Structure formats: structure tokens, C-alpha cells
Amino acid sequence: MPALSVTLIALVVAAAIGWNRRTLARPLLGALVGAWLGFILGALAGLTVDVITGGGFLAIVGHAAAVLGAMLGVRRAAPAAAT
């Protein structure tokens, strides 16, 4: 069920990367948007590979792209505080 797994990926990434940000709201929002965009793009790429190879890459590629998208979303939405 991608609705639960992609949202959970966003929460974990926001907590892991966003802990040193001023607030957790912006990193969380960035992670959610990034994870869903990454999942959509990754699922489309996985679907293309599935059609060509007949394999089961849709979920794997989609979730891997969700992790990358969440990481980029956190970093874009709330840059780290300068120390």
C-alpha cells in the first residue's frame, strides 16, 4: 500500500534529516512533497522497466525514488542552520 509506505518514508526522512532545522513543519512538508513526487516519477520509470523486462521493479524503483525525493525535499524546504 503506497499511501502508507510513502508517507512513512517521508516521516522517517524528515525526522532523520530535519532534526537540526529550526522547525520540523517545513522539513516535514518538503519530505512529503518530495517523497510523493519521487514515488510518482520512480513508479513511472519502474513501470517502463516492468513492461520491457516483465519483472517486478515498479514498487522497488518507486520507493527508492521516494527516499531520494524526500531527502531532496527536506534539504530544499529547510536548509540546515549555520553553526
Side-chain angles (χ1 to χ4, degrees):
M1 181 178 288
L4 180 61
S5 62
V6 173
T7 303
L8 184 61
I9 287 170
L11 291 173
V12 169
V13 169
I17 296 177
W19 66 270
N20 66 341
R21 302 326 197 252
R22 290 186 202 112
T23 64
L24 193 56
R26 287 186 67 187
L28 179 58
L29 181 61
L32 282 169
V33 171
W36 278 105
L37 288 175
F39 180 77
I40 290 167
L41 293 175
L44 289 174
L47 180 64
T48 303
V49 172
D50 278 352
V51 168
I52 293 170
T53 65
F57 294 102
L58 177 67
I60 295 169
V61 175
H63 286 87
V67 172
L68 293 174
M71 290 170 47
L72 292 173
V74 169
R75 295 190 184 274
R76 175 112 173 123
T83 54

